């Protein structure tokens, strides 16, 4: 807009001269303007004082500014509606949105950042992170090999191979590679207060038994007898067959006793195989305490239930069995991998075999001494207020 050479005060002064009797032609020659300007000034400022003219000028400027702001706001709203997606919350999404506004709507970077409420430092930030291509490739390979492993177990496997990486960074890479494990179904959680289950302190203190069923590709059903040591979490046996009777369970337990020695207690449900005469006879002859959980309370045998969930999630749901022989071979390989390679979250991410190796024999001696079956200590017990100088060993 072209600015006038005369201010409001000068224009009103010229109009006052015209009201005093000076002709329009004389005013035009005196001030160097045309008669059209005089008449236009008269139509706009006629009868006004200087203060009123200033107030009118201020109102016009304010109106112009508001119109400009309204036009900018309408343009920003139209540009924001054109943005892809519902919400722009991540830094990468904000950079992409600003680039779109600049390219498609011709907006400046400053105005685009103001429109989406983003700091310009975020847009101009250049990342200095390493690519980690080798780590990403190895993580994808492990995730494809073990499809039901989450990022925590993948972290343990990567640490075994020599990768030194923080678990938070691994989780970020895990999410960027879209390797999250899909959860299958919902878990039924108990209502009310539950007493914590006692954990055995030594191997072979307690074994847990249960059955898992599956079917072959031709539709035939088969069952799997699972046996777990509750202390070391080792899988002691995975016996697959189309029929598993109580006599077969007793024979498998005899085989395990020959390999690992006799357990102190066996825990199972009230299935017909576990309550048969063959199983009861085996328990009496072996002098092993057999504990049956309450009917309809599988949480009382939580160790074997947890193991059955891992077995079904990581193997049975991921494998098609064409024959019983193939199922037995696959179960044997998975059992060896579970005991010797798979990290267990409740064992400090150690494998069951590693944890079983750390079980010190002094723990068994302490338990036997507490029960009174251990031999008496070499040094006699001191009397209250006295010390046994004779029982002390001198070193020097």
């Amino acid at each position: 807009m072209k600015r006038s050479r005369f201010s409001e005060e000068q224009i009103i002064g010229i109009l006052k001269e015209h009201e005093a009797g000076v002709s329009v032609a004389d005013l035009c020659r005196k001030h160097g303007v045309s008669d059209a300007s005089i008449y236009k000034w008269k139509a706009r400022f006629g009868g006004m004082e200087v203060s009123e003219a200033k107030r009118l000028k201020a109102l016009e400027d304010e109106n112009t500014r508001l119109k400009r702001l309204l036009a900018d706001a309408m343009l920003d709203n139209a540009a924001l509606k054109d943005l892809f997606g519902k919400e722009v919350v991540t830094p990468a999404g904000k950079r992409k949105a600003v680039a779109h506004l600049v390219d498609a709507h011709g907006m400046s970077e400053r105005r685009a950042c103001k429109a989406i409420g983003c700091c310009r430092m975020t847009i101009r930030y250049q990342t200095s992170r390493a690519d980690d291509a080798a780590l990403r490739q190895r993580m994808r390979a492990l995730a494809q090999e073990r499809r039901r492993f989450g990022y925590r177990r993948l972290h343990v496997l990567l640490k075994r191979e020599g990768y030194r990486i923080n678990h938070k960074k691994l989780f970020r890479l895990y999410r960027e590679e879209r390797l999250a494990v899909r959860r299958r179904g919902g878990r039924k959680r108990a209502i009310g207060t539950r007493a914590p289950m006692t954990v055995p302190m030594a191997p072979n203190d307690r074994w847990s038994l249960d059955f898992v069923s599956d079917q072959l590709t031709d539709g035939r059903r088969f069952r799997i007898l699972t046996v777990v040591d509750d202390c070391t979490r080792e899988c002691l046996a995975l016996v697959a067959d189309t029929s598993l009777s109580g006599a077969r369970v007793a024979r498998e337990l005899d085989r395990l006793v020959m390999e690992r020695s006799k357990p102190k207690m066996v825990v199972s449900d009230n299935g017909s195989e576990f309550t048969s005469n063959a199983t009861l006879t085996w328990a009496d002859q072996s002098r092993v305490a057999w504990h049956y959980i309450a009917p309809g309370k599988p949480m009382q045998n939580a160790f074997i239930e947890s193991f059955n969930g891992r077995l079904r999630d990581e193997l049975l749901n991921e494998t098609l069995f064409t024959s019983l022989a193939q199922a037995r071979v696959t179960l044997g390989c998975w059992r060896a991998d579970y005991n010797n390679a798979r990290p267990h979250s409740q064992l400090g991410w150690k494998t069951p075999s590693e944890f079983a190796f750390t079980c010190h024999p002094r723990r068994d001696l302490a338990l036997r001494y507490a029960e009174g079956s251990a031999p008496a200590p070499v040094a006699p017990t001191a009397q209250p207020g006295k010390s046994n100088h004779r029982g002390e060993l001198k070193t020097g």
Side-chain angles (χ1 to χ4, degrees), residues 30-63:
K30 180 179 179 181
H31 298 286
V33 296
S34 62
D35 53 353
S37 299
I38 298 295
Y39 289 116
K40 184 174 67 173
W41 290 345
K42 188 175 182 180
R44 184 176 180 183
F45 298 104
M48 297 179 62
E49 299 294 334
V50 176
S51 59
E52 296 176 352
K54 288 183 178 181
R55 186 164 55 252
L56 178 62
K57 179 63 175 176
L59 291 176
E60 290 179 351
D61 295 341
E62 182 69 17
N63 190 23

Side-chain angles (χ1 to χ4, degrees), residues 101-153:
L101 293 178
V102 171
D103 296 338
H105 297 275
M107 300 174 65
S108 64
E109 182 185 279
R110 185 188 301 274
R111 183 174 177 181
C113 293
K114 185 178 180 180
I116 66 174
C118 173
C119 179
R120 296 180 67 190
M121 295 178 62
T122 303
I123 304 303
R124 298 187 176 188
Y125 174 76
Q126 297 293 332
T127 180
S128 58
R129 288 175 176 172
D131 189 17
D132 298 320
L135 177 62
R136 292 173 182 266
Q137 182 178 0
R138 184 54 186 160
M139 183 173 59
R140 287 195 300 267
L142 288 175
Q144 292 175 1
E145 180 182 351
R146 301 175 179 272
R147 296 177 52 190
R148 302 303 298 175
F149 275 21
Y151 80 96
R152 293 183 178 89
R153 284 193 172 84

Side-chain angles (χ1 to χ4, degrees), residues 300-319:
Q300 295 181 3
N301 201 6
F303 292 100
I304 195 67
E305 293 294 339
S306 176
F307 173 79
N308 292 341
R310 303 286 77 75
L311 173 64
R312 185 170 298 279
D313 185 44
E314 297 177 10
L315 180 66
L316 300 184
N317 291 341
E318 299 290 326
T319 310

